Amino acid sequence: MSGTAWWARAYDVALRAFPAHFRARWGDEMRLTLADRVAAARDRDGRLPLRLVARELASALAGGARERLHERLRHPATRPPMPRLQDVRYALRLLLRSPGFTLLTVLVLAGGIGLSTFTFSFLYTAMLRPVPLDEGARIVRVDPVVDGRLTGTDLADVAALAASVRSVRQLGAFTGRALVVGRDGDRRAIDGTVADPVLFAVARTPALLGRPLVPADAEPGAEPVLVLSYRIWQAAFGGDPGVVGRRVPLNGAETRVVGVMPEGFGFPVASEAWLPLPADAPGRATAGLASVRLVGRLAPGASHATAAAEVATVLRRAQAARDTSARAGVVDAAVETLPSAQIGEERALVFALLNLVAGLILLLALVNVTNLLLARADERVRETAVRLALGATAGRLVVQGMWETVLLCLAGGVVGTAGAAWGLEGITRWTQANIPDNLAFWWVWRLDHVTLLGAGAFVTVAIASLGAVAALRTRRLDVRAAMQDGGARGGARRAGRLSRALVAVQVTTVTVLMFFGVMAGVVAHRVVTIDPGFDPARLLQGGVLPPDARYPTAAARAGLYRDVRARVAEQGALGDVLLRRPLGEARTARGRLARRGAARTPELLPTAHVEASLGDLRTIGVEVLEGRALGAADDASRAPVAVVSRALARRHWGGRSPVGEQLRLAGAGAGDTATYRTVVGVVSDVPHGNPLARDRSADAIYVPLLQGDHDYAAVLARWRTTETAARLAMVQAFGAADPLLVPDGVQPFAESLRKMGLIAVSVTRLFTACFAFALVLALVGTYGLMSRAIGARTREIGLRRALGATDGRVARLILLQGGRQLVVGTLLAAPALGALGLLLRHYVPVSATLTVAAAVLVSASIVGLVLAASWVPTRRALRLTPRDALWTG
Amino acid sequence: MRPIEFEILLSLAGGARHGYAIILDIEARAGDGATLETGTLYRALQRLAEQGHVTEARTPPGEDDRRRYHAITPAGRAAAAAEARRMAALVDGARAARLLPEAP
């Protein structure tokens, strides 16, 4: 006979649904009866009775399940045995008897559980945890979304929003402001927040001393007041409780300190002091000039989605009421909790990807521990068989084995959680030391109930998966075979199958992890080596923030910028002075960026980066190629002009010179947005846009800073001698322009680039450590698994060699076996790599070639590593003589 | 007693049979199209054996010795008879209620 018929094999499988003793009593006869029925039907009909076979299979499966259930009810003794204290003691004794195994297993588990717990807790605190204020989950940030991108809210829209939006209550605006406290020689620059006093009602946090801001403080004619943060109260006022009620010079105006907020308070953003945003400021604001952020409390019954829809409606109405050339584009809105809004639009991706990485590392750890447990079970197979033969039930042995797993997982969980807590506290210390200015006040990572819950969940997963494998193994132990040859064959075939499956899972997991690691490394490299598009060496940067009180008009502000530039240029320590104000990207949508052509309708220009500047553009590597540069004489009294980059000129004007052409910059925050500007020059290209973004371009338009109204300008100047001298010179130049003015955030330009990438680099370093741990786990694990799989075949190898097989043939046989798992693992990983690559390319600037190359390289490396891991135990097996192999197998 | 158990006892009342023969007998008695699955038969045999109504019989000489023959025990015969009486009483009741025609 060529073999058993398929239906008979299927019936054999279906019979496994019946309890073992039932099969032992009736199984053979049932097979025989079915064979009789099939033969009779075949004789009668001349073909295989498929319906009969299907019915019999279904009946066997259902009947088997019912028989098992029936048996449970009839014989309560076969219910799972209850845990006993003596089992725990027994398991503990066994673990203590092999300290090496116990220590290794606990460490591997601690690594997997600790990393998963750390990642989960870190991300939860960073992105999901409600802010630690009364009903913090209902506090939301409201942001307009223009053309799919989150933007600040136009101050001119705030009044309409506050009056009309019902789904967000106590909606208040705030914005950052550099402040100068003190007078003459005792001045100090601090980072302040100008906030609608209603935000203190949103925070529901009482002041430590005095009171917070109240709506009366923002009324026209109210006395200027100030609320201090705990940090600045300690640093600038020595923690003096008498500071409340005192008048201090603030930006030159006497301002009364009315309160000090408690330590750690930084709502809505970290700040050193709070000033009231004048109640009439939104009403007086010019559209397109000042941008603020909005925070409020979600009204009862309102959801984020309904609130966003309502805000979008109000915003669209406000936009429609204004000059259409000033603002256009598709306006929408986002209403998010503060932590979500802080992380930005990629939060879902970040949360999912990083948790996936942590999950994969836990999976790797579990695969390794499974292998360790299987190896240990192999060693004890004879003992287990003896106990089974002496009458111990499989359930009893499973429960005892389970206790061993539980104890190991609990120990791993405790050590891992302690490690995670240590890491979380380290992160808190690091962020407070390195990025205090940008730190959200809710970013305090520590061991809390969420971390413990996460750790508990990971420990449970570990116990469940490891316990299931161990139980399966004990239940399937072939007592007779185990007793006969001491475990060489007792369940070895099945265990071998399990080991091979584990190798495939391991190959898949480690391939995906390493690919992710390599791509993270590529992105981190890009972040570290940010290309600003010009040489940032010896470049000092500071900010000019004209105080509203003394520079209330566009002309006054322009005068200050002109003066600051002149004073900085006078300093011997500084050269190549440039004041710049990036105005973002002007896109072609709805004619916001247009060229006046011969036809009546303006022609649309491609997307371009727009920047207002005053001074020498060569400071940022931009040279004049044609026409003239922008000069200090290009002010509001002259005809509006612009210079364009060569890339933009080529793209739009082709071979012709754009000099003399006219273009319009509506919507780019450039002040008089409806006016056409004459192109007076063409300049060289430098990349613009967010240095970390993938869509950088050299298409640029530069307009004179003095021909628009700007609330801020950055000063760039190259130092000639030392950085210290340059810093001093910049402070002196500002003081010469206005004795009450200090430069905002003075630092080398390269330092600002470094800070830009600091968080990304640090997070990447952290995860590099995780990947290194994963790689070590994978290597050791694969070696262990292959070693075990080959060890199980030692007797077979000996037999083959005794029968004349050459070493080469045997080695090929073994490596081919490893190769099959490699192929399966790599094939399983391929779709994951594809999906991950596409996802990463969507968010970070990496090319398709690089992504594919990384995937191929990682897969090839893993293949190499696994083959290497197979080779060592193969050689060991080949070194044994056939006699030894047969003896030790 | 379940109908399938009564059917098996009825089948074995005529002599020891193996599983396939029991199925053929029951299907023949039940009429055209009625089927009994192998799994159902052996689950019922298991119950009857546990109750002591059925026991294993010696395989008749000349038969396939892989086959196991099942025979009814005296207890099984008594239980089947009791069940038959109960059923007969039910049939009498049905006749009295004119659900069935009078016996000829």
Side-chain angles (χ1 to χ4, degrees):
Chain A
M1 195 173 161
S2 59
T4 318
W6 67 264
W7 54 266
R9 284 203 301 272
Y11 197 64
D12 270 357
V13 174
L15 283 180
R16 298 184 77 84
F18 285 91
H21 72 90
F22 188 98
R23 282 204 310 276
R25 179 165 186 185
W26 304 108
D28 288 344
E29 208 185 337
M30 288 170 84
R31 288 187 195 97
L32 207 59
T33 303
L34 180 68
D36 283 342
R37 299 189 76 175
V38 170
R42 204 175 229 164
D43 288 345
R44 190 177 62 235
D45 304 332
R47 59 187 167 80
L48 182 70
L50 285 175
R51 287 179 65 175
L52 171 74
V53 170
R55 223 170 37 229
E56 287 284 1
L57 289 174
S59 164
L61 287 171
R66 278 205 296 271
E67 191 60 32
R68 277 182 190 271
L69 184 68
H70 188 57
E71 184 158 307
R72 262 301 139 78
L73 297 172
R74 270 183 305 183
H75 306 291
T78 58
R79 286 178 190 163
M82 295 303 287
R84 297 178 194 163
L85 191 62
Q86 72 182 59
D87 291 342
V88 184
R89 280 205 297 266
Y90 175 70
L92 198 61
R93 238 185 357 254
L94 281 179
L95 289 175
L96 292 177
R97 210 187 290 161
S98 32
F101 161 82
T102 307
L103 188 68
L104 184 64
T105 313
V106 167
L107 282 181
V108 171
L109 277 171
I113 294 170
L115 278 175
S116 302
T117 307
F118 171 82
T119 311
F120 166 73
S121 181
F122 175 81
L123 294 175
Y124 177 80
T125 298
M127 299 181 185
L128 299 178
R129 184 202 298 279
V131 291
L133 296 173
D134 184 27
E135 288 190 271
R138 300 203 69 79
I139 298 178
V140 290
R141 206 173 86 181
V142 175
D143 295 300
V145 179
V146 179
D147 292 341
R149 291 185 183 191
L150 280 185
T151 66
T153 307
D154 197 318
L155 184 59
D157 291 333
V158 170
L161 286 167
S164 311
V165 173
R166 293 277 166 270
S167 46
V168 183
R169 291 181 179 169
Q170 298 176 315
L171 194 60
F174 70 94
T175 184
R177 181 71 52 88
L179 304 170
V180 180
V181 182
R183 59 171 65 84
D184 301 331
D186 189 24
R187 291 191 302 162
R188 186 186 189 101
I190 61 172
D191 291 319
T193 298
V194 178
D196 186 330
V198 77
L199 291 179
F200 284 86
V202 171
R204 296 179 186 168
T205 305
L208 179 70
L209 294 175
R211 63 169 174 85
L213 295 176
V214 294
D217 295 330
E219 292 302 326
E223 182 191 22
V225 294
L226 168 76
V227 168
L228 298 174
S229 73
Y230 184 87
R231 194 156 61 121
I232 204 71
W233 175 54
Q234 292 289 323
F237 298 93
D240 176 11
V243 72
V244 174
R246 194 186 299 167
R247 285 157 70 93
V248 296
L250 188 80
N251 287 0
E254 290 295 315
T255 308
R256 190 179 298 280
V257 176
V258 293
V260 176
M261 294 309 288
E263 190 174 6
F265 180 84
F267 184 80
V269 288
S271 186
E272 292 179 311
W274 291 266
L275 298 177
L277 177 73
D280 58 355
R284 288 189 285 113
T286 308
L289 192 58
S291 171
V292 292
R293 294 276 181 204
L294 288 178
V295 166
R297 268 183 188 273
L298 214 53
S303 71
H304 290 202
T306 55
E310 191 188 7
V311 169
T313 309
V314 175
L315 277 175
R316 284 188 209 119
R317 211 183 302 140
Q319 301 274 316
R322 281 211 296 271
D323 173 10
T324 49
S325 69
R327 271 286 178 93
V330 182
V331 176
D332 220 318
V335 174
E336 301 281 354
T337 61
L338 255 54
S340 281
Q342 178 92 357
I343 296 294
E345 289 153 279
E346 280 92 33
R347 59 188 167 267
L349 174 85
V350 174
F351 193 80
L353 273 187
L354 296 187
N355 271 320
L356 174 75
V357 167
L360 287 177
I361 292 176
L362 181 62
L363 179 65
L364 266 184
L366 291 179
V367 167
N368 280 283
V369 173
T370 303
N371 188 41
L372 287 168
L373 289 176
L374 285 178
R376 187 169 159 85
D378 279 354
E379 285 168 15
R380 286 176 22 205
V381 72
R382 192 190 282 265
E383 175 202 328
T384 310
V386 168
R387 294 181 64 195
L388 279 172
L390 289 175
T393 61
R396 175 95 255 132
L397 293 184
V398 166
V399 168
Q400 280 188 345
M402 188 65 103
W403 273 116
E404 218 176 330
T405 310
V406 168
L407 290 176
L408 285 170
C409 290
L410 284 179
V414 168
V415 176
T417 309
W422 176 78
L424 290 169
E425 273 162 27
I427 288 278
T428 303
R429 277 197 303 276
W430 183 89
T431 45
Q432 283 171 353
N434 287 279
I435 45 171
D437 300 340
N438 297 325
L439 196 62
F441 72 98
W442 57 88
W443 279 0
V444 179
W445 290 275
R446 60 173 190 274
L447 184 69
D448 56 8
H449 69 284
V450 176
T451 312
L452 288 175
L453 274 177
F458 294 126
V459 169
T460 309
V461 167
I463 291 174
S465 47
L466 295 175
V469 174
L472 212 65
R473 164 111 177 131
T474 308
R475 278 198 174 276
R476 288 185 167 177
L477 186 69
D478 182 342
V479 178
R480 205 170 43 192
M483 294 294 284
Q484 273 174 359
D485 54 21
R489 283 206 334 251
R493 194 166 152 223
R494 287 196 192 97
R497 210 181 298 153
L498 186 60
S499 283
R500 287 196 291 278
L502 289 178
V503 171
V505 170
Q506 184 128 340
V507 167
T508 307
T509 314
V510 81
T511 306
V512 174
L513 267 177
M514 286 305 117
F515 175 70
F516 190 83
V518 168
M519 295 310 283
V522 169
V523 174
H525 177 74
R526 294 273 163 88
V527 172
V528 174
T529 54
I530 293 171
D531 175 16
F534 54 90
D535 179 16
R538 296 188 297 111
L539 213 51
L540 194 68
Q541 174 181 275
V544 190
L545 279 155
D548 295 342
R550 294 202 312 287
Y551 302 94
T553 63
R557 285 188 278 270
L560 176 67
Y561 293 136
R562 191 198 296 269
D563 208 12
V564 166
R565 186 200 157 266
R567 298 293 184 177
V568 174
E570 281 170 9
Q571 302 292 321
L574 295 167
D576 299 346
V577 186
L578 173 71
L579 268 71
R580 63 193 298 222
R581 174 74 163 112
L583 301 174
E585 277 189 354
R587 272 169 285 167
T588 54
R590 311 224 182 148
R592 286 186 297 156
L593 183 60
R595 170 193 158 206
R596 180 181 275 169
R600 268 193 192 168
T601 42
E603 266 180 85
L604 300 183
L605 281 170
T607 304
H609 176 85
V610 182
E611 182 161 324
S613 66
L614 171 64
D616 195 348
L617 275 174
R618 282 176 300 182
T619 311
I620 55 166
V622 177
E623 303 273 352
V624 177
L625 303 175
E626 187 190 341
R628 69 169 178 88
L630 301 175
D634 293 315
D635 59 16
S637 66
R638 300 289 188 86
V641 292
V643 295
V644 299
S645 71
R646 180 164 53 185
L648 185 76
R650 273 199 193 138
R651 189 192 289 267
H652 193 68
W653 283 277
R656 288 185 298 116
S657 166
V659 175
E661 298 277 350
Q662 290 200 305
L663 51 80
R664 191 180 69 172
L665 301 173
D672 185 5
T673 52
T675 311
Y676 277 93
R677 295 171 176 274
T678 306
V679 177
V680 295
V682 178
V683 292
S684 59
D685 295 333
V686 291
H688 284 287
N690 180 357
L692 305 183
R694 64 201 305 271
D695 50 354
R696 302 189 76 192
S697 128
D699 294 337
I701 299 171
Y702 302 90
V703 297
L705 187 76
L706 304 182
Q707 285 185 347
D709 185 11
H710 306 288
D711 56 350
Y712 172 84
V715 182
L716 282 178
R718 216 172 284 277
W719 69 75
R720 294 199 171 106
T721 52
T722 64
E723 183 195 325
T724 315
R727 281 173 178 268
L728 188 66
M730 192 171 274
V731 173
Q732 282 171 348
F734 273 61
D738 177 346
L740 291 173
L741 193 70
V742 287
D744 179 49
V746 180
Q747 62 180 343
F749 191 78
E751 178 69 12
S752 72
L753 287 179
R754 194 187 69 80
K755 278 187 179 167
M756 200 182 286
L758 185 64
I759 295 178
V761 170
S762 307
V763 169
T764 310
R765 275 192 195 144
L766 193 69
F767 281 95
T768 304
C770 297
F771 291 127
F773 176 72
L775 190 62
V776 170
L777 269 186
L779 275 178
V780 174
T782 308
Y783 172 77
L785 284 166
M786 293 309 295
S787 182
R788 214 177 136 259
I790 293 167
R793 297 181 71 181
T794 305
R795 185 191 288 256
E796 178 201 333
I797 291 168
L799 202 61
R800 283 177 186 275
R801 294 177 72 211
L803 292 173
T806 61
D807 284 2
R809 281 186 73 88
V810 173
R812 211 162 36 242
L813 184 83
I814 295 171
L815 290 178
L816 213 63
Q817 178 197 316
R820 268 205 297 278
Q821 290 128 50
L822 261 181
V823 171
V824 172
T826 312
L827 284 180
L828 285 176
L833 294 194
L836 204 57
L838 283 176
L839 199 66
L840 285 172
R841 286 201 58 228
H842 183 69
Y843 288 98
V844 291
V846 285
S847 69
T849 321
L850 186 73
T851 312
V852 173
V856 171
L857 192 76
V858 164
S859 302
S861 309
I862 301 299
V863 166
L865 286 174
V866 174
L867 285 180
S870 311
W871 180 241
V872 179
T874 304
R875 266 184 50 198
R876 202 171 49 218
L878 289 176
R879 278 208 197 109
L880 287 176
T881 61
R883 185 175 154 274
D884 288 343
L886 286 167
W887 182 253
T888 57
Chain B
M1 182 177 289
R2 299 182 198 194
I4 177 67
E5 292 168 7
F6 182 68
E7 291 268 14
I8 292 171
L9 291 179
L10 206 56
S11 184
L12 296 180
R17 292 174 197 268
H18 56 68
Y20 181 47
I22 298 173
I23 289 178
L24 287 177
D25 187 50
I26 292 174
E27 284 182 352
R29 198 179 317 118
D32 211 22
T35 54
L36 171 63
E37 275 81 37
T38 312
T40 312
L41 170 76
Y42 284 96
R43 287 188 63 223
L45 276 175
Q46 162 85 2
R47 284 195 299 274
L48 289 169
E50 281 175 359
Q51 290 159 10
H53 293 167
V54 162
T55 186
E56 200 168 322
R58 184 174 299 178
T59 306
E63 287 290 331
D64 183 350
D65 61 359
R66 290 179 305 163
R67 297 198 184 285
R68 287 158 66 181
Y69 276 68
H70 309 282
I72 190 164
T73 60
R77 192 172 287 279
E83 181 69 5
R85 279 195 297 277
R86 189 182 69 83
M87 286 176 147
L90 280 177
V91 171
D92 288 345
R95 287 214 172 94
R98 298 182 186 279
L99 294 172
L100 288 172
E102 285 296 320

